[in-house]
Every structure is written in structure tokens, then in C-alpha cells.
Amino acid sequence: MIDELRSLAERQAEAAESLRAFSGFKLLHVKRQLGLILTQIGANGVFREYTLHDISHIDEMIKMMDWVIPEPTKAQLAPADWLLIVLSIYFHDLGMLVTRDEFDNRAKSEFPRFKQELLNHNTPEAQHYNAKIQRLDQNDRELFLYQEFVRKHHAERIRYWVTGQLPTELGVSEASVTELSNLLQHLPPVFRSDLGMVCESHHRDDLDDLTKYPVSKPYGNSTAETADVQFAAVILRTVDLLHITSDRTPSLLFRLINPRDPISQAEWSKQQSVRAVRSKPGTDSDGVVSESAPRDTIEVFADFTSEIGFFGLTSCLDYVQ
């Protein structure tokens, strides 16, 4: 049971509860419920071979914020900023949740067309997928293909879910939408709309669009109720990309799950190699480490037993850069 909000970011976000715009909202209750919901990602077979997307992933991302966001910037952030950032981290991957009922009703979504287009195109990608799924039995084949369908759309799914919408073309996920709507019912609709957009942004490349992600968006009549939407999206993308340490892929789980999908194998191998990601201490003009010097470099420490891990990590860091 999550008994308190321990991080600086969450405590700052919790302060928004006293503001009129967010009256009735309880962050601790939301995190407790979220912890239970996240355990269901992979529970029904879909995404069972993926790296961990449970509450530990959320906590590590929030912990990273402590050194990713500079101290002077922290002092300028309003409670609405903290709330938007923290909630976007909480919910950004929830679109990967697939209930048994959703999977059983997959034919009512756009999945059949997705599958048809994926497997029938005469492209190297289609040939790759065809060769892969021919090695699976019928049930595993459907699970794998629906997993790919949800993976492609999971960021879009959570944007709709946060605002209480149920676009069945993305999956018949009524139970998920209902549960999420109950958790977020005390948030203003305009805030929920921006929260959904920020959640989706972690799989989009349009963070420079200030029309979509304004730097000053009021949710109430005070500066405390005003947030920088673009900053929230940038922080979400940053800490999500940087959580590549081995704690996300415990070796015991790797042996138990024994991922057969090459994509999952490469991802697990890459992340098992990384033992630490941190802010590099700054140095003064003489090259001496100084607490007052800016920390403008991120260090990644890793050990490799396989070339797959090395090339997987360097490819990942090229994208992060």
C-alpha cells in the first residue's frame, strides 16, 4: 500500500489540491489506485514480454526529475505545473493496459484492418512480421499482433481515455475509460484535455508547437493555477527516455519470462547493461568539480556481456541526444 507521497515533485503537486481549480482532487488516492491498475499491464498476455511499466517505473521517473530540473527552475514552477508533470508521468503508459474483455472484442476495433495491412503489404517490415508470427501458434499470434496494434496507438489511447472518450477504433476499452474517469473526475475538463495531450506527446515529435503546448495555460484565476504545458511535455519525454537502468528489467524476471520476441530481447539486453544514469558533477574553469558549477551533462554507466546490449544502448542514446 502506498501510504504517502515522498518525492519533492509529488508533494509540490499535492499542494494544488488546496486551489479552487483542483478542489476535491486527491493525488495520493490516485497513485494508490494507479499502482493497482498498472499491475494489469501484461497480466492478460499482451505485453507480457515487455520491460516493466509498473509503479516502480513511475517512481524512478519522478526521482529523476530531482536532478533533471534545475533548482532555479523548481523555484519558479507553480503547483499546477507540478500537478501536470506528475500526472503525465503517472498515466503516460496506461494506454498499454489491455483487459481480457478488450482482447476478446478486438474484432470490433480497427485491429482487423491493421492486421490485414500489416501482413499483406509487400514490404520488408511485413515480411519480417510474417516470418516471425509463422513460428507462433494461433493464440500467441493474435496476442502478438494485438500487442503491436496497441503499442502503435497506446499514446493516442491514453489521450482519449484521460478526457473520458472511448474511440472504439482504438480498442473496446470501456472498463479502462470508466476507471480513469472516476480517478480524474475532480480535475477541470481543460486540464484533463492538456494532461491527455502531454501524455500522448511522449510518442510524438511536435514538442516545439507552442500553439499545441502553450508556455502559459491558466486553469484558474491565479498564477498558482497556471502551467507551462510545453515544459511538462519536455520533462515527461526526458525522464521516460532516461529510465533505461537495469532495475527496470530484473534478471530474475528476464529468466522467468524468457522473451521470445527479438524486439523484447534487444530491449531487455540493452537495459540490463545499464547500472546508473545520473547528472555529471559540474566543474569550474580549472576543471575542478564544484557544487556551484552548472550540471549540464548526463552520465550513463553500463557494462556489457553482449554486443546486442552495446549497440542497443548506443542507438538509444543517439535518439536521446
Side-chain angles (χ1 to χ4, degrees):
M1 170 68 74
I2 300 170
D3 56 357
E4 63 178 315
L5 300 171
R6 294 186 173 90
S7 72
L8 168 68
E10 288 170 309
R11 292 196 302 271
Q12 297 280 30
E14 192 175 29
E17 295 174 3
S18 64
L19 302 173
R20 179 175 297 179
F22 310 108
S23 178
F25 182 77
K26 296 298 179 183
L27 187 63
L28 179 58
H29 171 70
V30 168
K31 188 173 184 181
R32 284 172 174 165
Q33 297 304 113
L34 178 68
L36 297 174
I37 295 170
L38 288 174
T39 64
Q40 297 306 301
I41 293 181
N44 293 308
V46 182
F47 297 113
R48 66 174 179 262
E49 296 184 353
Y50 268 55
T51 55
L52 296 181
H53 288 83
D54 60 9
I55 202 67
S56 67
H57 173 44
I58 303 301
D59 286 337
E60 286 302 315
M61 289 173 63
I62 288 175
K63 190 184 301 182
M64 281 183 176
M65 287 170 57
D66 201 40
W67 56 263
V68 167
I69 303 178
E71 292 299 325
T73 305
K74 291 176 186 173
Q76 297 297 318
L77 295 179
D81 284 306
W82 289 106
L83 186 62
L84 184 59
I85 296 170
V86 167
L87 288 180
S88 70
I89 291 175
Y90 278 8
F91 294 115
H92 74 286
D93 274 335
L94 198 59
M96 294 172 65
L97 176 65
V98 178
T99 63
R100 172 54 59 182
D101 186 61
E102 177 184 340
F103 181 71
D104 290 344
N105 285 282
R106 61 192 180 279
K108 298 178 181 179
S109 68
E110 287 293 306
F111 172 65
R113 188 169 73 175
F114 168 85
K115 182 169 61 173
Q116 182 81 4
E117 292 177 351
L118 185 65
L119 298 180
N120 289 347
H121 281 182
N122 187 26
T123 64
E125 182 186 33
Q127 293 171 4
H128 168 74
Y129 275 100
N130 272 301
K132 179 185 295 184
I133 68 169
Q134 292 308 315
R135 300 193 297 269
L136 304 175
D137 61 36
Q138 181 61 35
N139 186 59
D140 283 348
R141 189 178 305 173
E142 283 291 287
L143 282 170
F144 174 73
L145 289 171
Y146 196 71
Q147 170 182 290
E148 293 300 282
F149 172 71
V150 173
R151 181 172 66 89
K152 178 181 178 182
H153 294 293
H154 83 276
E156 187 180 3
R157 279 158 59 99
I158 192 57
R159 174 169 63 87
Y160 282 111
W161 292 4
V162 164
T163 57
Q165 300 178 65
L166 179 61
T168 55
E169 65 269 19
L170 300 180
V172 182
S173 47
E174 184 175 357
S176 301
V177 174
T178 299
E179 187 64 33
L180 196 52
S181 291
N182 289 337
L183 286 178
L184 302 178
Q185 61 181 311
H186 293 294
L187 294 175
V190 65
F191 183 89
R192 288 176 62 172
S193 177
D194 285 345
L195 172 60
M197 191 167 55
V198 172
C199 288
E200 183 187 30
S201 74
H202 83 285
H203 265 237
R204 298 186 66 88
D205 291 320
D206 60 355
L207 299 187
D208 57 341
D209 184 349
L210 294 181
T211 302
K212 184 176 182 180
Y213 309 104
V215 297
S216 180
K217 182 69 170 286
Y219 304 106
N221 198 32
S222 68
T223 56
E225 298 163 298
T226 301
D228 183 335
V229 181
Q230 185 193 49
F231 185 75
V234 169
I235 293 300
L236 171 62
R237 174 69 64 86
T238 301
V239 295
D240 188 37
L241 286 173
L242 290 178
H243 188 204
I244 53 174
T245 46
S246 58
D247 60 292
R248 195 175 177 191
T249 54
S251 58
L252 173 62
L253 286 183
F254 182 84
R255 290 194 298 272
L256 291 175
I257 297 173
N258 187 25
R260 291 172 294 169
D261 173 53
I263 296 175
S264 294
Q265 289 178 5
E267 185 72 8
W268 279 71
S269 179
K270 173 187 70 183
Q271 295 191 17
Q272 284 186 304
S273 305
V274 181
R275 65 179 187 272
V277 178
R278 72 177 192 185
S279 169
K280 183 178 180 179
T283 57
D284 60 22
S285 58
D286 296 322
V288 178
V289 173
S290 170
E291 286 296 322
S292 62
R295 289 174 172 251
D296 56 7
T297 302
I298 296 171
E299 296 181 305
V300 179
F301 296 85
D303 300 297
F304 301 99
T305 58
S306 163
E307 71 279 3
I308 295 176
F310 174 77
F311 289 114
L313 178 62
T314 53
S315 175
C316 173
L317 294 181
D318 281 344
Y319 180 77
V320 174
Q321 181 70 32

